[in-house]
Amino acid sequence: QVQLVESGGGQVQAGGSLRLSCAASGHTFRSYTMAWFRQTPGKEREFVASIRWTSGSTYYANSVKGRFTISRDNAKNTVYLQMNGLKPEDTALYYCTAGPTGVGFDCWGQGTQVTVSS
């Protein structure tokens, strides 16, 4: 059973940086894609970034491209989201998710709150 545990959220001022971590366990992730989504109250969950575990190929939402970087550490089974140049509109609950590449995301973490003040 796949388990995902996020950490690293917090409160920062606009222009600041945070690094989120997602520790994964319970499965071999070689054929998986890992991703980060975010959600604010009253809105649908929004895709942020993804990474294919084996190839390292990445994909970003236009709203974060050039500011956020997704990466993974194979040895630690951990995915990171480095967030630079944070804006108030980045404020959200950030979720880590995983799923077989090409199939979809079927496992979610509990979320970590990111709050950016102006």
Side-chain angles (χ1 to χ4, degrees):
Q1 183 177 357
V2 176
Q3 289 189 321
L4 304 172
V5 179
E6 303 101 331
S7 61
Q11 184 168 354
V12 295
Q13 290 191 329
S17 299
L18 283 173
R19 188 178 79 158
L20 306 183
S21 300
C22 174
S25 61
H27 199 276
T28 301
F29 296 98
R30 276 179 289 181
S31 60
Y32 270 52
T33 293
M34 313 290 288
W36 290 93
F37 281 69
R38 63 188 182 186
Q39 189 171 25
T40 54
K43 293 188 177 181
E44 291 189 0
R45 199 166 290 187
E46 173 191 28
F47 170 80
V48 176
S50 66
I51 185 167
R52 292 193 176 187
W53 195 266
T54 301
S55 68
S57 297
T58 58
Y59 187 73
Y60 296 92
N62 287 335
S63 59
V64 307
K65 202 172 292 184
R67 300 187 297 123
F68 291 10
T69 303
I70 189 170
S71 62
R72 85 259 190 258
D73 184 326
N74 290 358
K76 295 182 178 180
N77 264 11
T78 299
V79 175
Y80 302 98
L81 185 68
Q82 178 66 44
M83 305 184 294
N84 298 328
L86 283 162
K87 304 175 181 179
E89 52 262 44
D90 294 318
T91 295
L93 188 60
Y94 282 71
Y95 294 93
C96 177
T97 183
T101 298
V103 176
F105 300 112
D106 56 8
C107 181
W108 296 82
Q110 82 286 354
T112 185
Q113 179 68 37
V114 172
T115 302
V116 185
S117 57
S118 57

